[in-house]
């Protein structure tokens, strides 16, 4: 029994978060944030895989826009949608990224530094500086996972390290900046590292060339946009600051400890942390916390090393009392941070009893209207806030987009054009106008 408990002790956070996910099914409906954008991408691949994999075409029609991220995440999303429907796909993607993040944190820390490290790494991985990127299904959630697994396997199994690196390159644009440098920093003279670099290089060149070629089509705000426009994507509050300070302070100490214990591993972690932080200051619309989110997982693992080291020092140098008090304090601080994260799941008021409500919620009637009153190849105009949701709900092309003009995320050269069907939302009522701006229908925004 003791062996069983010892074996599963590091995975208590994983078990706990699994139970809470069952009890609080926030993922049954849209998790907000960038969900609409990623659902549009999945729908595009569903409708036209060959075109949709490399172009964002349902919105900003007819111009469309280049991809912001490689298509692996959205291809998986589309596949799950095709076999189980949109709610299944959305639920799976939300739940999987939380569970995988927790598992990887506990598993890597346990294998590298012991059970205590694994236990606390699992908790601290769920104490992010910004909750939304972990709650909302996005490709960015997988970048720290793939980075950590690459760092872990780079000395243990080159084949797996190659696969995790390749996955990262096809998952998120940020990976272009750090994947190959990891193998260079580890040991550029190692023949297996050079082989992996050679295998990864064509994909690196492809995506680098893609974004350079289309750089004049995307509004990114310029090289120093983030530095000049720093902000928190959610209002600065004590909860966010608490999470940031807790994980980063313990993690930075852990980075110093690994510098003393394993310099090769230190080079890998520090290279990833430095590069991804620098890159984050040149993107994400000025939201620097999103950049810090990329380093939260490795720092949570390193924080586990810090906690174990301090515990062992107190245990050996003093007695059980002080080491146990230290663990209790850290456990309390971790649980507080974890509770803050879980509180973010209260995105909507629905639970399992609402499973019969359509995933589209209040916009379901609009979806039915469009599907019944328009042709599959018909082009629609809608006000910006409605464009992405209409696109993924119906698969219709929309001659408008969420971001307009020179706003970060917009498409240069795009000019919206009204169509035979033009949709507005006024006072919770959808107004459907024709090309002459005559109102054809009014649809209440209700479930």
């Amino acid at each position: 029994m003791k062996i069983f408990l010892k074996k599963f002790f590091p995975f208590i956070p994983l078990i706990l978060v699994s139970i809470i996910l069952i009890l609080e099914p926030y993922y049954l409906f849209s998790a907000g944030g960038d969900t609409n954008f990623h659902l549009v991408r999945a729908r595009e691949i569903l409708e036209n895989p060959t075109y949709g994999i490399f172009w964002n075409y349902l919105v900003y029609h007819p111009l469309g826009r280049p991809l912001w991220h490689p298509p692996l995440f959205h291809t998986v999303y589309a596949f799950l949608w095709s076999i189980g429907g949109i709610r299944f796909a959305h639920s799976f993607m939300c739940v999987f990224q939380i569970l995988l993040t927790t598992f990887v944190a506990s598993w890597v820390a346990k294998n590298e530094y012991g059970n205590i490290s694994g236990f606390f790494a699992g908790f601290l991985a769920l104490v992010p500086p910004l909750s939304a990127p972990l709650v909302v299904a996005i490709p960015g959630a997988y970048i720290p996972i793939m980075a950590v697994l690459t760092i872990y396997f780079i000395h243990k199994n080159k084949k797996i390290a190659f696969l995790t690196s390749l996955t990262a390159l096809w998952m998120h644009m940020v990976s272009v900046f750090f994947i190959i440098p990891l193998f260079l920093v580890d040991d550029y003279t190692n023949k297996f590292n050079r082989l992996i670099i050679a295998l990864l290089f064509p994909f690196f060149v492809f995506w680098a060339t893609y974004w350079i070629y289309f750089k004049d089509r995307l509004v990114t705000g310029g090289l120093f946009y983030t530095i000049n426009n720093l902000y928190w994507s959610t209002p600065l509050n004590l909860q966010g600051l608490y999470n940031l300070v807790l994980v980063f302070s313990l993690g930075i100490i852990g980075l110093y400890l690994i510098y003393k214990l394993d310099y090769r591993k230190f080079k890998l972690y520090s290279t990833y942390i430095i590069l991804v932080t620098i890159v984050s200051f040149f993107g994400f619309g000025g939201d620097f916390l999103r950049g810090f989110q990329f380093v939260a997982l490795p720092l949570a693992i390193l924080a586990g090393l810090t906690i174990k080291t301090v515990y062992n020092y107190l245990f050996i140098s003093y007695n059980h009392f002080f080491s146990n008090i230290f663990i209790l304090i850290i456990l309390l601080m971790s649980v507080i941070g974890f509770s803050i994260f879980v509180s973010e799941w209260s995105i909507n008021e629905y639970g399992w009893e609402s499973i019969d409500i359509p995933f589209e919620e209040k916009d379901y009637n609009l979806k039915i209207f469009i599907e019944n009153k328009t042709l599959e190849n018909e082009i629609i105009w809608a006000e910006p806030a409605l464009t992405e949701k209409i696109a993924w709900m119906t698969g219709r092309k929309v001659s408008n987009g969420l971001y307009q003009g020179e706003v970060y995320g917009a498409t240069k050269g795009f000019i919206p054009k009204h169509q035979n069907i033009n949709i507005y939302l006024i006072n919770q009522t959808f107004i459907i106008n024709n090309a002459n701006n005559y109102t054809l229908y009014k649809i209440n925004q209700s479930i």
Side-chain angles (χ1 to χ4, degrees):
M1 185 65 178
K2 287 184 178 180
I3 296 176
F4 175 82
L5 292 175
K6 185 177 181 180
K7 185 176 181 179
F8 285 94
F9 172 72
F11 300 104
I12 289 177
L14 177 63
I15 297 170
L16 180 60
V17 77
S18 299
I19 294 171
I20 296 175
L21 281 167
I22 294 172
L23 297 176
E24 295 289 338
Y26 77 89
Y27 41 82
L28 293 178
F29 298 90
S30 173
D34 292 335
T35 298
N36 285 333
F37 167 74
H38 295 298
L39 287 174
V40 170
R41 291 290 302 117
R43 183 70 186 244
E44 287 169 337
I45 294 172
L46 269 180
E47 298 288 332
N48 189 337
T50 305
Y51 191 34
I53 281 179
F54 296 109
W55 198 255
N56 188 191
Y57 67 88
L58 282 181
V59 292
Y60 298 99
H61 183 81
L63 191 63
R65 62 178 177 177
L67 305 185
W68 282 89
H69 304 300
L72 179 58
F73 175 87
H74 302 110
T75 302
V76 174
Y77 217 144
F79 171 73
L80 293 171
W81 190 340
S82 69
I83 63 173
I86 186 170
R87 173 169 279 143
F88 168 75
H90 178 265
S91 299
F92 182 93
M93 298 298 279
C94 287
V95 171
F96 184 71
Q97 71 182 34
I98 292 175
L99 296 184
L100 186 61
T101 298
T102 313
F103 172 79
V104 168
S106 294
W107 184 73
V108 171
K110 166 186 173 292
N111 290 343
E112 296 277 58
Y113 313 120
N115 285 343
I116 291 178
S117 296
F119 174 81
F120 282 103
F123 263 124
L124 294 175
L126 299 175
V127 184
L130 184 63
S131 297
L134 198 52
V135 173
V136 179
I138 58 174
Y142 292 89
I143 288 306
I145 294 172
M146 294 304 134
V148 164
L149 290 176
T150 299
I151 291 170
Y152 177 76
F153 283 110
I154 203 168
H155 300 148
K156 293 177 170 60
N157 190 316
K158 296 292 186 182
K159 291 180 181 178
I160 297 180
F162 166 71
L163 291 175
T164 55
S165 300
L166 183 61
T167 300
L169 276 176
W170 282 86
M171 186 70 73
H172 197 283
M173 65 187 302
V174 169
S175 61
V176 169
F177 297 94
F178 73 82
I179 282 297
I180 289 180
L182 286 179
F183 291 94
L184 290 172
V185 167
D186 176 57
D187 184 0
Y188 67 89
T189 65
N190 182 283
K191 66 177 182 179
F192 293 108
N193 281 356
R194 285 186 290 182
L195 175 60
I196 290 174
I197 291 171
L199 293 172
L200 293 175
F201 192 70
F203 302 107
F204 164 81
V205 171
F206 174 81
W207 287 113
T209 303
Y210 181 95
W211 287 309
I212 291 172
Y213 182 80
F214 290 116
K215 64 182 175 62
D216 293 332
R217 295 285 294 276
L218 297 171
V219 179
T220 59
L223 186 61
F224 295 100
Y225 183 90
T226 303
I227 294 177
N228 296 324
N229 298 273
L230 294 180
Y231 78 99
W232 300 65
S233 67
T234 53
L236 178 59
N237 51 44
L238 291 177
Q239 291 93 333
L241 184 62
Y242 174 87
N243 288 2
L244 188 67
V245 171
L246 176 62
V247 176
F248 276 66
S249 58
L250 292 173
I252 294 300
I253 295 172
L255 191 62
Y256 171 76
L257 292 173
I258 204 172
Y259 168 77
K260 296 290 187 179
L261 297 172
D262 187 346
Y263 185 67
R264 283 187 73 185
K265 194 63 66 69
F266 166 79
K267 288 194 300 180
L268 293 170
Y269 274 119
S270 58
T271 296
Y272 169 73
I273 290 171
I274 291 170
L275 287 179
V276 82
T277 301
I278 290 174
V279 171
S280 75
F281 275 83
F282 300 134
F284 309 112
D287 183 3
F288 66 98
L289 273 185
R290 275 210 176 190
F292 288 158
Q293 183 70 26
F294 288 126
V295 304
L297 178 58
L299 287 179
I301 293 170
L302 294 172
L305 172 61
T306 301
I307 295 167
K308 177 200 171 183
T309 302
V310 174
Y311 171 80
N312 287 344
Y313 172 77
L314 292 174
F315 184 82
I316 295 171
S317 301
Y318 296 95
N319 56 46
H320 290 251
F321 176 78
F322 289 106
S323 60
N324 289 339
I325 289 296
F326 169 74
I327 288 296
L328 287 174
I329 291 173
I330 295 297
L331 179 60
L332 177 62
M333 296 173 68
S334 301
V335 170
I336 291 172
F338 175 73
S339 300
I340 293 171
F341 171 66
V342 171
S343 69
E344 294 292 326
W345 297 359
S346 301
I347 297 171
N348 54 60
E349 68 274 18
Y350 304 121
W352 289 109
E353 72 282 356
S354 305
I355 194 72
D356 291 332
I357 296 175
F359 181 79
E360 296 81 4
E361 299 180 78
K362 296 178 181 180
D363 300 329
Y364 179 73
N365 291 334
L366 177 64
K367 171 193 173 182
I368 297 301
F369 168 83
I370 294 173
E371 290 179 340
N372 291 337
K373 298 293 185 178
T374 65
L375 301 175
E376 290 186 4
N377 61 351
E378 187 163 354
I379 301 166
I380 292 172
W381 181 95
E383 61 181 54
L386 301 175
T387 54
E388 291 182 338
K389 191 160 189 180
I390 287 174
W392 70 254
M393 285 194 308
T394 66
R396 304 299 193 266
K397 295 181 178 68
V398 184
S399 62
N400 205 354
L402 177 61
Y403 302 105
Q404 304 288 306
E406 293 299 314
V407 174
Y408 179 89
T411 299
K412 293 181 181 180
F414 173 74
I415 300 175
K417 184 178 180 181
H418 285 269
Q419 305 293 325
N420 291 327
I421 296 292
N422 303 279
I423 304 173
Y424 304 83
L425 177 61
I426 301 174
N427 296 326
Q428 296 184 322
T429 300
F430 294 109
I431 308 297
I432 318 296
N433 289 357
N434 63 11
N436 298 319
N437 206 31
Y438 176 79
T439 299
L440 302 175
Y441 302 94
K442 292 183 179 181
I443 304 171
N444 290 330
Q445 188 186 42
S446 60
I447 299 175

